[in-house]
């Protein structure tokens, strides 16, 4: 079955520390991959996406993600977290042809300590 | 500016009532989606539409209905058959298979 797993429900980091949020997917073929961020009571905003090519992708707000085909992973990273990064983060995938259904992980809620 | 609008932001429903959530986009996207979000459960797909006058059930369509009479509009009706409708509802659109663009959401509360 197709699925996206975000194993960490909550993560707490200190401001200025590095961050890595994990995402693993199960899909018949390599899908397109996305990371979104959601502030409380708001819609989702795209941070970055991977379609093909360089497996390290850069996004907005200083985030990057690395696609590892062998591990079916697409982990999100940031070298130095800011208090404003506190939010919920979602990993998502969609097939490269024939489907309009996006599959989302259950999210990781990030708390940032001052 | 292009984007997706949802209205109202907050909606209250009495038990037994149908309510309709609005979603409009001016991005010229073919596909539109409705998701339900509950704490700890991520986004669950209710309905999606690839083109005008066509839509498909998602994973939790029971108790909901939609229409797609215009490319820019995809309203969602929460019917009285939906037993637990209190949730945050998100509308999205996309040009497959690119990223989805999301609206600001509607929070529905049953009184």
């Amino acid at each position: 079955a197709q699925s996206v797993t975000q194993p960490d429900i909550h993560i707490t980091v200190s401001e200025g520390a590095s961050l890595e949020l994990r995402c693993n997917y199960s899909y018949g073929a390599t899908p397109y991959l996305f990371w979104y961020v959601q502030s409380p009571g708001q819609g989702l905003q795209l941070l970055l996406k991977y379609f093909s090519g360089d497996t390290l992708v850069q996004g907005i707000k200083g985030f990057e993600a690395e696609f590892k085909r062998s591990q079916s992973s697409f982990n999100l990273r940031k070298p130095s977290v800011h208090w404003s990064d506190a939010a919920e983060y979602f990993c998502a995938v969609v097939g490269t042809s024939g489907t309009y259904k996006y599959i989302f992980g259950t999210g990781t809620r990030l708390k940032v300590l001052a | 500016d292009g984007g997706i609008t949802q209205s109202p932001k907050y909606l209250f429903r009495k038990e037994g009532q149908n309510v309709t959530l609005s979603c409009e986009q001016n991005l010229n996207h073919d596909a539109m989606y409705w998701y339900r979000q509950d704490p700890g459960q991520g986004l669950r797909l209710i309905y999606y539409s690839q083109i005008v006058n066509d839509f498909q059930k998602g994973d939790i369509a029971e108790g909901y209905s939609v229409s797609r009479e215009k490319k820019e509009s995809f309203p969602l009706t929460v019917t009285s058959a939906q037993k637990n409708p209190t949730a945050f509802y998100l509308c999205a659109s996309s040009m497959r298979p690119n990223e989805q663009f999301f609206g600001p959401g509607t929070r529905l509360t049953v009184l």
Side-chain angles (χ1 to χ4, degrees), chain A residues 29-66:
Chain A
T30 300
Y32 294 145
L33 301 129
F34 310 89
W35 273 101
Y36 290 88
V37 62
Q38 183 183 33
S39 297
Q42 303 295 319
L44 277 67
Q45 180 185 19
L46 180 74
L47 284 175
L48 46 79
K49 61 187 178 185
Y50 175 78
F51 285 2
S52 65
D54 191 347
T55 57
L56 184 64
V57 293
Q58 302 298 319
I60 62 172
K61 305 185 180 187
F63 285 93
E64 66 178 26
E66 185 172 13

Side-chain angles (χ1 to χ4, degrees), chain A residues 3-15:
Chain A
S3 64
V4 174
T5 301
Q6 294 180 245
D8 303 306
I9 298 174
H10 294 99
I11 283 186
T12 300
V13 300
S14 297
E15 190 170 20

Side-chain angles (χ1 to χ4, degrees), chain A residues 9 32 34 36 38-46 49 51 88 90 92 94-107 109, chain B residues 9 30-31 33 35 37 40-43 45 48-51 57-59 88 90 94-105 107:
Chain A
I9 298 174
Y32 294 145
F34 310 89
Y36 290 88
Q38 183 183 33
S39 297
Q42 303 295 319
L44 277 67
Q45 180 185 19
L46 180 74
K49 61 187 178 185
F51 285 2
E88 190 154 23
F90 292 94
V94 69
T96 59
S97 63
T99 178
Y100 282 73
K101 287 187 69 175
Y102 294 71
I103 302 171
F104 284 81
T106 52
R109 184 168 296 278
Chain B
K9 187 170 178 63
D30 291 324
Y33 310 77
Y35 294 93
Q37 189 174 26
Q41 296 196 46
L43 277 68
L45 182 64
Y48 65 104
S49 168
Q50 302 174 31
I51 57 173
K57 292 182 179 179
D59 302 316
F88 190 56
L90 286 163
S94 75
M95 286 294 282
R96 195 195 68 81
N98 219 322
E99 71 266 25
Q100 291 181 309
F101 288 77
F102 284 83
R107 184 165 299 280

